[in-house]
Amino acid sequence: MDMHTVVVGTSGTTAQDVIAVARGNARVELSAAAVSALAAAREIVDALAAKPEPVYGVSTGFGALASRHISQDLRAQLQRNIVRSHAAGMGPRVEREVVRALMFLRLKTVASGYTGVRPEVAQTMADVLNAGITPVVHEYGSLGCSGDLAPLSHCALTLMGEGDAEGPDGTVRPAGELLAAHGITPVELREKEGLALLNGTDGMLGMLVMALADLKSLYTSADITAALSLEALLGTDKVLAPELHAIRPHPGQGVSADNMLRVLAGSGLTGHFQEDEAPRVQDAYSVRCAPQVNGAGRDTLDYAAVVAARELASSVDNPVVLPDGRVESNGNFHGAPVAYVLDFLAIVAADLGSITERRTDRLLDKNRSHGLPPFLADDAGVDSGLMIAQYTQAALVSEMKRLAVPASADSIPSSAMQEDHVSMGWSAARKLRTAVDNLARIVAVELYAATRAIELRAAGGLTPAPASQAAIEALRAAGVEGPGPDRFLSPDLAAADAFVRAGKLVAAVEPVTGPLA
């Protein structure tokens, strides 16, 4: 199979496939089994639609209006209307990768055969993705219950040839024009189909999957920068010994300690903590406890990944079409499982940012840095060095703490109290994306400070670890300057941020350390 093609079957999808479609523009195809399952479920819906008895989502209104029976001549209008009325989002546009993940994950549920959507509707969803057409979706409109309603509605509106969408060239145009330009016929929705396109946790799940991928990379980078700071502060690597972490066997803690130990192998800077002008019996918590904090975050990522995998294997819709012919209402669209871990990840990201900033501040403080110049300045007093880089890092950490306040602890009743408890999972996902962005910047500032500090130590005759030297050389090759008189710092910090986000820090040290977890 072409590595750039993702085949959607009846049994869910993987995180790797979500990222391939959302970020890598992978082509999407429906499996033969999915097409058969779609057709079989549709036969059940058509049979129920022909009966006089009301069936929710097929021949009734929705939500608090479910008590009204809808006659056959109004059902197509009913499905169009639910999409149009629910496409009520407001605020800034959501990122392209989020919308692509949202559409792909909705297609995943549709293809399961539990929704009653016709095969041609599912094929149109795939065609829109493959054409690079991205519906305009807005920041606000989902309460994380009854699905990510407004975001998914804006996507369904595009399938109908209505509303606005972005073409593959990045230009926003009327969706009907974009479909026509790519030879895609707008869908005419039938019974249940409008509802089925809206009723899922797809937006929050897509953002969870991408956040997990980004955080996994950032945690490895954070292990490296923690090791660099320990080295720059002349700390001891004895606290990283495997036998110490074996007696408190949290898996992530052991992984982080091992990563740090491998980065520090061969260092001539570690172990001087009792020999300098401010001798210590032991290092400060932000240095000594880095494996415990980083490791606890890693374990949280693992738990969140389990929840994501379960949701990726799920068919989230209401009502669902069961193989025995029943169409049953349910509460599987409730976003609580996803919302909780999104909030949990924001908490651990904030704590990682916090401990990272504390090490940076220690590097810059002449009273705690064990011989380094104030603010790592070239001529302190004339030069301010990295003083304000730490201010920027501190501002980011402060925002991270605000973003760690759980969204899922809130609920606002809606739909005339029919939907009287909601998850706020979309909101949890949106703030987590900001937190992940901030964390990358925070790690980049520590990298910038720690590498400068190590170079100042090296100028005094101490030899860094080979992995540290490799990181410094790669960072300098990326255009981030080393010690010297004051200069315009923002471009250096931006380049360090890009270096971390692209995984270049990890790539720089792994030829020396071997693969890091």
Side-chain angles (χ1 to χ4, degrees), residues 363-366 369 372-381 383-386:
L363 289 166
L364 305 188
D365 183 355
K366 70 180 182 65
S369 66
L372 290 168
F375 303 106
L376 306 181
D378 188 61
D379 184 5
D383 294 315
S384 294
L386 306 191

Side-chain angles (χ1 to χ4, degrees), residues 33 59 103 112 121 136 142 217 229 254 293 300-301 305 316 321 350 391 415 448 460 484 489 497 511:
S59 53
M103 289 193 295
S112 70
V121 175
V136 170
S142 173
S217 175
S229 289
V293 174
T300 304
L301 295 185
V316 179
V321 181
Y391 281 37
S415 193
Y448 189 62
L489 274 189
D497 179 32

